[in-house]
Amino acid sequence: MSEEYNTYNELRKKGRYTQAAHFAERQYLEGNRNNPFWLTRQAAALTWAREYKKALHVAEKALSLKSSNPYSMLAMADALRGLKRTDEALRYYEEIMGDPKIRFSAQKGILSCLAGKKEWDKMLRRMGQWDMPKELVFEWKVKAFAGQERWDEAIDICGQWLDLQTDLPQALWALTEFEIQRDGLEPVLKKMGRLAKISSRPPVYKEIYASLCKKAGNPELALKQYEELIRTGSDLWNQRQQAFALKKSGKMSEAIPMMEELLKLDPKDIYIHSSYVSACKESEQVERALKFYEELVESNPEETTLYGRIRKIKKMPGLELD
């Protein structure tokens, strides 16, 4: 692989999708403009950044250069799916199913489209026709059975999935949700509480237990779990959950600065934004929120949504402007 592609891929792995899109655009403009390669990479990065309209425009440009390019078709399909133009996306995915290099991407795209249309039986039939890795089959079968509220079968598939990949977080979270649907919250809460106490179990059990404590209306117990997870070297997800739990417990003096640090790390996190503004309003710290957003936009001028947030905050009652 070229050094340029490695740079692009590193940006993708770090979740810096907008930067990856800009990098791909520069490579296209500085290179062979009859080659759609960097246009398809730009469209893909824009789709990951959820900029679907821009992604579609770039993918259309790539296809205009070479209408039979399967990667350009995949970029088109992914952008169309993001725009909820599901039937159009399906046509492109179907067209590239014969290319072995991107067959799995096409299969996942088709299944995602069918899930969006809630065509669960079609999903199950298509999976029966395809050669897919077991873990992918489990992932999509679980979605189909859950969509049909076939909880026993969904739980059984989760069990098979966990036999294949022990303690897999995705399967454990799904299993927990399906058991709640079938058995109710209380027995699942007790079961997960027991599992969370086993020190040899990975952190995901404590994460799930903390989430269930919040769901059961016990934010203080949830907070204890998150604090323990943070002490033992937790990840960003747990810090987000701890911040939410602190706010729910009314501990605004602890929640607000934690949310500010999280927003510095990810200024696109709409859930932290919403919770942060709400916490500042409840604790009558709207001026602090305004000052924080003005500083945040200085370090992230490309994040255009921040300007809208500043305008909304300036209209809030209790704010004294010079």
Side-chain angles (χ1 to χ4, degrees), residues 45-93:
L46 287 167
T47 293
W48 297 327
R50 300 184 180 182
E51 304 232 15
Y52 302 120
K53 286 184 180 178
K54 290 182 182 178
L56 182 62
H57 175 73
V58 175
E60 287 172 336
K61 188 174 179 180
L63 268 181
S64 72
L65 296 176
K66 190 175 180 182
S67 60
S68 61
N69 185 303
Y71 291 94
S72 300
M73 290 185 196
L74 178 61
M76 275 287 289
D78 288 343
L80 287 165
R81 178 162 58 87
L83 290 167
K84 310 295 184 190
R85 292 163 61 176
T86 308
D87 290 330
E88 294 170 82
L90 273 169
R91 287 197 290 273
Y92 281 103
Y93 286 129

Side-chain angles (χ1 to χ4, degrees), residues 161-175:
W161 199 359
L162 288 165
D163 286 341
L164 182 69
Q165 296 173 273
T166 306
D167 297 327
L168 179 70
Q170 187 179 354
L172 286 168
W173 280 101
L175 176 62

